[in-house]
Amino acid sequence: MSTVVKTLEQKEIEQLLRQITYETTHLPPGMVARAKIQGHSISIYRSNKVMIQGKDAENLAAQLLGTAAPRQSAVHQYDQYNCLGSDEAGSGDYFGPMTVVASYVSKKNAEILKLLGVMDSKNLKDPKIVELAEQIIPMIPHSLLVLTNPKYNEQKARGWSQVKMKAVLHNQAIQNVLSKIEERPDYIVIDQFAVQGVYENYALTPIPERDRTRFETKGESKSIAIAASSIIARYAFIRWMDQIELETGLDIYKGAGSKVDLQAAKIIERKSLAYLDSITKKDFKNRAKALDLIERKRS
C-alpha cells in the first residue's frame, strides 16, 4: 500500500469533493470528510491536507488532483530507517503532569508525517499540536505514560529526581511500543535528558535493544519519531491543562514564571493548598512564592 499527502487550496478541496461520494459524520478529530474510491481511502483534513491511501495511491492522486507522484523530501539522520523515538512534556511546568511518549515510525511513514507537518512541538502553537496529534495518533504505534501530580509528588518525597522519573518512564514506554510491533526497529532514539550511563543507572530495567539505542540532544531535529512523540506528549499535557482550567475557572499558564505564582495564589484562596498540590509539582519554587503572595496580601 502507498500513501500520498498533499495540501490543497480551498477551491481545490471543493473541486475534489464534487468528484467523489464522501461522508462527513462519525469522523476522527481534525477530519472533515472521507471517502472510498477504487479500493483506496481518501481523508480530507481541516488543515486542507488530503491523504490518499491504497495500492496505487500515486496514480489515483494524479487523476483526482492533477498531481504527479510526490517527491521525496530531505530526510533527517534517522528517518531513512525504521525508528522508535521517545520524548516528554510537562517537566518544566509547575501546573500539570509529566507526559512521556514513545512512537514507532517506519521509514515509509516518516515521509507521510513530514508532509502532514510533524516537527518539534516547541515550535508549534497549541491548536496546531492538537490538530497534528489527532491525525497521527491513529497512524503510528505509540505508548503514552502520564505521571500525575500526586504520583510525581510522592516520588519526589521518596527522593526521586526528575531525571530518574524520566528514565523509568521512557524505558517503560519504549518497552510498551516494542511489544506492539512485530518488526525490530533499526534504531531506538531517546531525546537526551541524561547521558547513557545515568539513564541506565536510573531506569530500573535494562535498556531494550541496547545495541540499537542512541541518545541525541535536540533529537526532534534528527528523528521524526521523536518529533511525533513530542507532539503526542504535548497534546496529552494540553488536555490535562484544559481539565485544570475547567476545574479552577482560570486560564492556566504553562511554565514556571511569575504569572504562575499569581495563579497559584488565586487557587489557594479559591480552593485550598491541598487542591493546589494535587494539580502541581510541589518541589517547584512557585508554591512558596504563592504562599508568600498570600501572606503579604493579608499583612
Side-chain angles (χ1 to χ4, degrees), residues 2 11 53 56 82 92 94 103 111 115 117 126 135 138 210 212 235 237 239 286 290:
S2 59
K11 62 182 181 181
Q53 293 177 297
D56 199 17
N82 298 320
Y94 176 56
S103 303
E111 189 65 29
L115 289 169
D126 285 359
Q135 290 180 43
R210 187 177 187 275
R212 294 168 182 251
Y235 169 77
F237 178 78
R239 288 309 189 208
N286 304 88

Short mmCIF file of all heavy atoms in Angstrom, two decimals, residues 2 11 53 56 82 92 94 103 111 115 117 126 135 138 210 212 235 237 239 286 290:
data_model
loop_
_atom_site.label_atom_id
_atom_site.label_comp_id
_atom_site.label_asym_id
_atom_site.label_seq_id
_atom_site.Cartn_x
_atom_site.Cartn_y
_atom_site.Cartn_z
N SER A 2 0.49 2.25 -0.77
CA SER A 2 1.23 3.51 -0.82
C SER A 2 0.34 4.64 -0.30
O SER A 2 -0.88 4.51 -0.22
CB SER A 2 1.69 3.82 -2.25
OG SER A 2 0.58 3.89 -3.13
N LYS A 11 -10.46 25.98 -2.85
CA LYS A 11 -11.21 25.74 -4.10
C LYS A 11 -10.87 24.36 -4.68
O LYS A 11 -11.71 23.71 -5.31
CB LYS A 11 -10.93 26.85 -5.12
CG LYS A 11 -9.49 26.98 -5.56
CD LYS A 11 -9.33 28.14 -6.54
CE LYS A 11 -7.88 28.28 -7.01
NZ LYS A 11 -7.71 29.42 -7.94
N GLN A 53 -4.71 6.73 0.42
CA GLN A 53 -4.00 5.51 0.77
C GLN A 53 -4.58 4.34 -0.03
O GLN A 53 -5.80 4.21 -0.14
CB GLN A 53 -4.12 5.22 2.27
CG GLN A 53 -3.41 6.23 3.16
CD GLN A 53 -3.61 5.93 4.63
OE1 GLN A 53 -4.74 5.97 5.12
NE2 GLN A 53 -2.54 5.63 5.34
N ASP A 56 -2.49 1.88 -5.33
CA ASP A 56 -1.99 2.73 -6.42
C ASP A 56 -2.33 4.19 -6.13
O ASP A 56 -2.89 4.89 -6.98
CB ASP A 56 -2.62 2.27 -7.74
CG ASP A 56 -1.85 2.76 -8.95
OD1 ASP A 56 -0.67 3.16 -8.78
OD2 ASP A 56 -2.41 2.75 -10.06
N ASN A 82 13.73 2.46 9.96
CA ASN A 82 12.58 2.24 10.84
C ASN A 82 13.02 2.58 12.26
O ASN A 82 13.95 1.98 12.78
CB ASN A 82 12.12 0.78 10.75
CG ASN A 82 11.68 0.40 9.36
OD1 ASN A 82 11.01 1.18 8.68
ND2 ASN A 82 12.06 -0.78 8.90
N GLY A 92 8.97 20.94 32.84
CA GLY A 92 9.33 22.29 33.26
C GLY A 92 8.14 23.15 33.65
O GLY A 92 8.29 24.36 33.87
N TYR A 94 4.99 24.04 36.23
CA TYR A 94 4.53 23.87 37.61
C TYR A 94 3.17 23.18 37.64
O TYR A 94 2.96 22.22 38.38
CB TYR A 94 4.44 25.24 38.28
CG TYR A 94 3.89 25.22 39.69
CD1 TYR A 94 4.46 24.43 40.68
CD2 TYR A 94 2.79 26.01 40.04
CE1 TYR A 94 3.95 24.41 41.98
CE2 TYR A 94 2.29 26.01 41.33
CZ TYR A 94 2.87 25.21 42.29
OH TYR A 94 2.37 25.21 43.57
N SER A 103 7.17 6.42 20.25
CA SER A 103 6.44 6.16 18.99
C SER A 103 7.34 5.41 18.01
O SER A 103 8.54 5.67 17.95
CB SER A 103 6.00 7.47 18.34
OG SER A 103 5.21 8.25 19.21
N GLU A 111 8.00 9.87 5.88
CA GLU A 111 7.71 10.83 4.81
C GLU A 111 6.30 11.39 4.95
O GLU A 111 6.06 12.58 4.77
CB GLU A 111 7.90 10.17 3.46
CG GLU A 111 7.85 11.13 2.29
CD GLU A 111 9.00 12.12 2.31
OE1 GLU A 111 10.07 11.79 2.83
OE2 GLU A 111 8.81 13.23 1.79
N LEU A 115 5.05 15.36 5.61
CA LEU A 115 4.10 16.04 4.73
C LEU A 115 2.91 16.58 5.52
O LEU A 115 2.33 17.61 5.17
CB LEU A 115 3.61 15.08 3.64
CG LEU A 115 4.66 14.75 2.57
CD1 LEU A 115 4.18 13.60 1.70
CD2 LEU A 115 4.96 15.96 1.71
N GLY A 117 3.22 17.80 8.39
CA GLY A 117 3.73 18.96 9.13
C GLY A 117 4.28 18.63 10.50
O GLY A 117 4.44 19.54 11.33
N ASP A 126 -0.40 25.60 20.40
CA ASP A 126 -1.27 24.54 20.90
C ASP A 126 -2.32 24.06 19.90
O ASP A 126 -2.52 22.85 19.76
CB ASP A 126 -1.95 24.99 22.20
CG ASP A 126 -0.99 24.96 23.39
OD1 ASP A 126 0.18 24.58 23.20
OD2 ASP A 126 -1.41 25.34 24.49
N GLN A 135 -4.35 13.66 14.12
CA GLN A 135 -4.14 13.00 12.83
C GLN A 135 -3.19 11.81 12.96
O GLN A 135 -3.39 10.76 12.35
CB GLN A 135 -3.57 13.99 11.81
CG GLN A 135 -4.56 15.05 11.36
CD GLN A 135 -3.95 16.02 10.36
OE1 GLN A 135 -3.24 15.62 9.45
NE2 GLN A 135 -4.20 17.29 10.54
N PRO A 138 -3.85 7.86 15.42
CA PRO A 138 -4.34 6.59 14.87
C PRO A 138 -3.37 5.91 13.90
O PRO A 138 -3.54 4.75 13.57
CB PRO A 138 -5.62 7.00 14.12
CG PRO A 138 -5.95 8.39 14.56
CD PRO A 138 -4.64 9.01 14.91
N ARG A 210 19.63 -2.51 23.48
CA ARG A 210 20.67 -1.55 23.88
C ARG A 210 21.63 -1.23 22.74
O ARG A 210 22.07 -0.09 22.58
CB ARG A 210 21.44 -2.10 25.08
CG ARG A 210 22.43 -1.14 25.71
CD ARG A 210 23.08 -1.78 26.94
NE ARG A 210 23.92 -0.84 27.65
CZ ARG A 210 25.19 -0.59 27.35
NH1 ARG A 210 25.76 -1.23 26.33
NH2 ARG A 210 25.90 0.26 28.07
N ARG A 212 21.06 -0.96 19.73
CA ARG A 212 20.44 -0.12 18.70
C ARG A 212 19.96 1.22 19.26
O ARG A 212 19.34 2.00 18.54
CB ARG A 212 19.24 -0.84 18.08
CG ARG A 212 19.62 -2.08 17.30
CD ARG A 212 18.42 -2.94 16.95
NE ARG A 212 18.86 -4.14 16.25
CZ ARG A 212 18.64 -4.36 14.96
NH1 ARG A 212 17.98 -3.51 14.23
NH2 ARG A 212 19.08 -5.47 14.40
N TYR A 235 0.34 17.14 23.37
CA TYR A 235 -1.12 17.06 23.22
C TYR A 235 -1.76 16.54 24.51
O TYR A 235 -2.74 17.11 25.00
CB TYR A 235 -1.44 16.15 22.05
CG TYR A 235 -2.89 15.75 21.91
CD1 TYR A 235 -3.83 16.65 21.39
CD2 TYR A 235 -3.33 14.48 22.27
CE1 TYR A 235 -5.15 16.29 21.25
CE2 TYR A 235 -4.66 14.11 22.13
CZ TYR A 235 -5.57 15.02 21.61
OH TYR A 235 -6.88 14.66 21.48
N PHE A 237 -0.51 16.64 27.48
CA PHE A 237 -0.32 17.66 28.51
C PHE A 237 -1.35 18.78 28.37
O PHE A 237 -1.94 19.24 29.35
CB PHE A 237 1.10 18.24 28.42
CG PHE A 237 1.38 19.33 29.40
CD1 PHE A 237 1.66 19.02 30.73
CD2 PHE A 237 1.37 20.66 29.01
CE1 PHE A 237 1.92 20.02 31.65
CE2 PHE A 237 1.62 21.66 29.92
CZ PHE A 237 1.90 21.35 31.25
N ARG A 239 -4.34 18.61 27.10
CA ARG A 239 -5.66 18.12 27.52
C ARG A 239 -5.78 18.10 29.05
O ARG A 239 -6.85 18.40 29.60
CB ARG A 239 -5.91 16.72 26.95
CG ARG A 239 -6.16 16.70 25.44
CD ARG A 239 -7.23 17.68 25.06
NE ARG A 239 -7.68 17.57 23.68
CZ ARG A 239 -8.18 18.58 23.00
NH1 ARG A 239 -8.27 19.78 23.57
NH2 ARG A 239 -8.58 18.42 21.75
N ASN A 286 7.45 27.92 42.82
CA ASN A 286 6.19 28.66 42.68
C ASN A 286 5.29 28.49 43.89
O ASN A 286 4.54 29.40 44.25
CB ASN A 286 5.44 28.19 41.42
CG ASN A 286 6.27 28.31 40.17
OD1 ASN A 286 7.01 27.40 39.83
ND2 ASN A 286 6.17 29.45 39.48
N ALA A 290 3.79 31.58 45.93
CA ALA A 290 2.35 31.80 46.03
C ALA A 290 1.93 31.99 47.48
O ALA A 290 1.12 32.88 47.80
CB ALA A 290 1.60 30.62 45.42
#
